[in-house]
């Protein structure tokens, strides 16, 4: 990361240690709990994770007082949690949140540090995740129900284990009813790939904008 930042002309990097961020131990006596995502998609798989995300990000924002914070869209729920925290705690008046589009390989696989753990066999199968998301939302007459069903079927045929496939409201990550409109949705997924004893978990998502967006 430091090498890439240097190549891009960064003049300074703030890189606190765990001891700096948690002088009394993690998570500390005071935390930020994003109740609105509890039990939903990624938060259902990692119940305490987004409390940690919100808490450490608030600490970093207080320490750095940034004008802009940039997060990647691939981690959809993380983006929604940070956006809601800035709004609820009235930090959005002093800083802006930018959601950067997901960077992808030529075959559509979302770039991630987790990809280094993929075996050759996993790497060959992994692009099917993005294809399944695209095919399901672009199908004629697609609904949340058809998207969930199509993605499950396509990826299970590839031998993947689908932890969840979520079609959710873009603001609060609440699951949309089966027959609802797809507009203004975040379609997100977590898949588990296994190969010769190696296990890897991959995330991806796509946005379905509203009319005219």
């Amino acid at each position: 990361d430091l090498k890439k930042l240097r190549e891009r002309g960064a003049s300074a990097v703030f890189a606190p240690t765990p001891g700096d961020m948690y002088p009394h131990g993690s998570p500390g006596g005071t935390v930020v709990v994003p109740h609105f995502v509890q039990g939903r998609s990624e938060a259902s798989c990692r119940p305490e994770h987004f409390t940690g995300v919100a808490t450490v990000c608030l600490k970093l924002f207080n320490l750095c007082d940034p004008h802009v914070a940039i997060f990647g869209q691939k981690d959809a729920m993380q983006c929604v949690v940070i956006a809601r925290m800035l709004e609820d705690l009235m930090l959005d008046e002093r800083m802006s949140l930018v959601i950067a589009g997901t960077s992808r390989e030529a075959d559509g696989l979302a770039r991630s540090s987790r990809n280094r753990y993929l075996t050759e066999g996993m790497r060959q199968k992994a692009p099917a995740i993005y294809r399944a998301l695209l095919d399901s939302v672009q199908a004629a007459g697609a609904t949340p129900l058809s998207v969930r069903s199509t993605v499950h079927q396509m990826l299970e045929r590839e031998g993947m284990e689908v932890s969840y496939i979520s079609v959710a409201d873009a603001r609060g990550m609440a699951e949309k009813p089966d027959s609802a409109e797809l507009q203004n949705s975040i379609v997100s997924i977590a898949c588990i790939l296994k190969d010769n004893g190696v296990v890897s978990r991959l995330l991806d998502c796509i946005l379905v904008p509203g009319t005219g967006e």
Side-chain angles (χ1 to χ4, degrees), residues 17-34:
T17 66
D20 294 329
M21 298 302 296
Y22 303 102
H24 305 296
S26 176
T30 302
V31 296
V32 181
V33 182

Side-chain angles (χ1 to χ4, degrees), residues 84-133:
R84 184 70 171 270
M85 181 182 73
L86 294 182
E87 179 182 333
D88 287 348
L89 300 185
M90 300 179 182
L91 298 174
D92 53 346
E93 294 295 322
R94 79 183 203 207
M95 63 178 288
S96 299
L97 176 65
V98 174
I99 306 301
T102 301
S103 178
R104 298 187 180 277
E105 304 291 351
D107 57 9
L109 176 64
R111 290 193 171 104
S112 170
S113 59
R114 302 183 189 200
N115 294 351
R116 75 183 73 174
Y117 303 115
L118 298 176
T119 66
E120 183 177 346
M122 289 175 171
R123 180 61 184 83
Q124 291 176 355
K125 289 183 176 182
I129 298 172
Y130 184 53
R131 290 198 301 270
L133 293 176

Side-chain angles (χ1 to χ4, degrees), residues 7 13 23 28-29 38-39 45 77 83 110 123 142 155 170 183 195 202 206:
E7 291 171 350
V13 173
Q38 289 181 350
C45 299
M77 183 165 281
R123 180 61 184 83
L155 296 183
Q183 295 175 359
D195 184 27
L202 298 181
I206 58 175

Side-chain angles (χ1 to χ4, degrees), residues 14-203:
F14 178 53
T17 66
D20 294 329
M21 298 302 296
Y22 303 102
H24 305 296
S26 176
T30 302
V31 296
V32 181
V33 182
H35 289 291
F36 75 101
V37 297
Q38 289 181 350
R40 297 175 179 174
S41 57
E42 187 67 10
S44 69
C45 299
R46 305 163 78 186
E48 305 300 326
H49 176 68
F50 292 100
T51 292
V53 167
T55 301
V56 74
C57 285
L58 180 60
K59 287 186 173 191
L60 289 168
F61 297 157
N62 285 336
L63 287 167
C64 297
D65 196 20
H67 296 102
V68 178
I70 303 172
F71 286 79
Q73 183 63 64
K74 181 177 71 68
D75 295 305
M77 183 165 281
Q78 176 175 267
C79 294
V80 171
V81 165
I82 298 303
R84 184 70 171 270
M85 181 182 73
L86 294 182
E87 179 182 333
D88 287 348
L89 300 185
M90 300 179 182
L91 298 174
D92 53 346
E93 294 295 322
R94 79 183 203 207
M95 63 178 288
S96 299
L97 176 65
V98 174
I99 306 301
T102 301
S103 178
R104 298 187 180 277
E105 304 291 351
D107 57 9
L109 176 64
R111 290 193 171 104
S112 170
S113 59
R114 302 183 189 200
N115 294 351
R116 75 183 73 174
Y117 303 115
L118 298 176
T119 66
E120 183 177 346
M122 289 175 171
R123 180 61 184 83
Q124 291 176 355
K125 289 183 176 182
I129 298 172
Y130 184 53
R131 290 198 301 270
L133 293 176
L134 282 182
D135 289 351
S136 66
V137 302
Q138 292 175 352
T143 64
L145 175 62
S146 71
V147 168
R148 296 180 186 114
S149 176
T150 298
V151 171
H152 262 288
Q153 292 174 11
M154 291 181 69
L155 296 183
E156 286 175 355
R157 284 199 298 267
E158 294 287 341
M160 299 184 198
E161 178 183 328
V162 179
S163 296
Y164 64 82
I165 170 66
S166 167
V167 183
D169 171 73
R171 173 172 166 77
M173 296 299 287
E175 286 298 312
K176 288 198 167 185
D178 288 346
S179 58
E181 295 284 338
L182 275 183
Q183 295 175 359
N184 296 311
S185 297
I186 296 176
V187 182
S188 58
I189 189 170
C191 284
I192 296 174
L193 288 74
K194 300 178 181 179
D195 184 27
N196 293 322
V198 178
V199 180
S200 188
R201 186 173 186 267
L202 298 181
L203 305 179

